[in-house]
Amino acid sequence: MTFWQNIIGILSEHGVAFLKASWMTISITIISLLFALIIGIIFASFKISSIKFLNWISDIYIGLIRGTPLIVQIMFLYYGIANFLTLDSFTAGALALSIHTGAYIAEIFRGAVQSIDRGQMEAARSLGMSYPLAMRRIIFPQAFKRAIPPLGNQFIISLKDSSLVAYISVTDLFNTALTVQGENYMPFETYFVVGLYYLIIVLIFTWFTNRLEKRLDVSRPKEAAAA
């Protein structure tokens, strides 16, 4: 059989399984990203706080998570803490991805907030706004806009990183590919197929990110945006 015949054969026999696995990959990615955004915003706030203790907590978290491999964090949450807390594979995988991605998102938000002109905070305070209110109404909305491009890149990285949950038996795309190639003994064709699935999902994520970036880019002239 030719290469493309093998590809068609894999798709016809295992296409439904790959579609279900795609949904699992998308689900665990989206859930982990939602929690990662919350974690990232919290620790970014700690990082830029004037309270040294909060700075210290944020530095430890970010340094620890960024300094250890994601696969180690996944294995630790699934196997390492099993003696006193048992997590199912999906929960352990989603939690590990959330904690891991949250450290990078914290740095993204920290950089975005610190890129805003300090004069805007001073102007808000001079108008009688409290620091938290000024952050919520003035600083964070602008910082979020500036953070969209790096956040989009981090989302794509997290989507591809989610393939590591296959090693704790989550039936995602990569886990399904491992099973299929073990049955058909065609690793090249099987991984080519799963690569196409990942590529399609990444392109969809990229399209949504680009749309969001353009929608929030209100600083551009309307004529340029329309063009």
Side-chain angles (χ1 to χ4, degrees):
M1 296 179 67
T2 66
F3 171 78
W4 291 111
Q5 287 175 327
N6 291 335
I7 296 295
I8 294 172
I10 291 172
L11 288 172
S12 61
E13 185 175 354
H14 302 284
V16 174
F18 277 119
L19 285 176
K20 291 180 179 179
S22 297
W23 176 245
M24 178 63 74
T25 293
I26 293 171
S27 298
I28 199 168
T29 300
I30 291 177
I31 291 172
S32 64
L33 287 176
L34 290 175
F35 283 103
L37 280 172
I38 296 172
I39 294 171
I41 291 173
I42 291 173
F43 280 93
S45 300
F46 286 0
K47 185 77 171 178
I48 63 177
S49 173
S50 58
I51 302 174
K52 295 297 183 181
F53 179 69
L54 295 181
N55 298 159
W56 180 70
I57 292 176
S58 181
D59 287 339
I60 290 177
Y61 163 69
I62 293 173
L64 179 64
I65 297 303
R66 294 179 66 177
T68 55
L70 174 56
I71 188 63
V72 173
Q73 296 162 18
I74 292 173
M75 293 299 180
F76 176 78
L77 286 175
Y78 189 62
Y79 295 109
I81 64 174
N83 288 333
F84 55 91
L85 179 62
T86 302
L87 300 175
D88 62 83
S89 59
F90 184 91
T91 301
L95 183 59
L97 286 169
S98 299
I99 294 172
H100 183 82
T101 306
Y104 292 89
I105 291 179
E107 282 294 270
I108 290 172
F109 274 122
R110 192 259 323 153
V113 169
Q114 292 182 338
S115 71
I116 304 299
D117 188 349
R118 290 186 177 182
Q120 298 198 37
M121 173 59 76
E122 295 172 359
R125 295 303 299 275
S126 69
L127 293 174
M129 289 188 182
S130 64
Y131 181 83
L133 183 62
M135 289 295 292
R136 180 166 59 88
R137 291 190 176 180
I138 306 298
I139 305 301
F140 271 131
Q142 297 180 75
F144 182 76
K145 266 180 41 175
R146 295 189 180 185
I148 290 296
L151 280 177
N153 292 334
Q154 187 59 49
F155 290 173
I156 299 304
I157 292 171
S158 299
L159 172 63
K160 293 183 286 188
D161 283 347
S162 70
S163 61
L164 293 175
V165 301
Y167 294 105
I168 56 172
S169 302
V170 177
T171 53
D172 71 326
L173 272 171
F174 188 63
N175 184 294
T176 302
L178 290 173
T179 302
V180 170
Q181 70 88 25
E183 295 174 356
N184 61 21
Y185 299 102
M186 292 187 292
F188 183 79
E189 292 87 343
T190 302
Y191 292 130
F192 181 86
V193 168
V194 79
L196 289 178
Y197 275 88
Y198 274 113
L199 178 61
I200 292 170
I201 298 174
V202 166
L203 290 175
I204 292 173
F205 266 59
T206 302
W207 182 83
F208 275 112
T209 302
N210 290 339
R211 292 289 297 176
L212 180 61
E213 183 179 349
K214 290 179 180 178
R215 188 176 185 85
L216 294 178
D217 193 7
V218 295
S219 62
R220 294 184 305 169
K222 291 185 178 180
E223 294 80 6

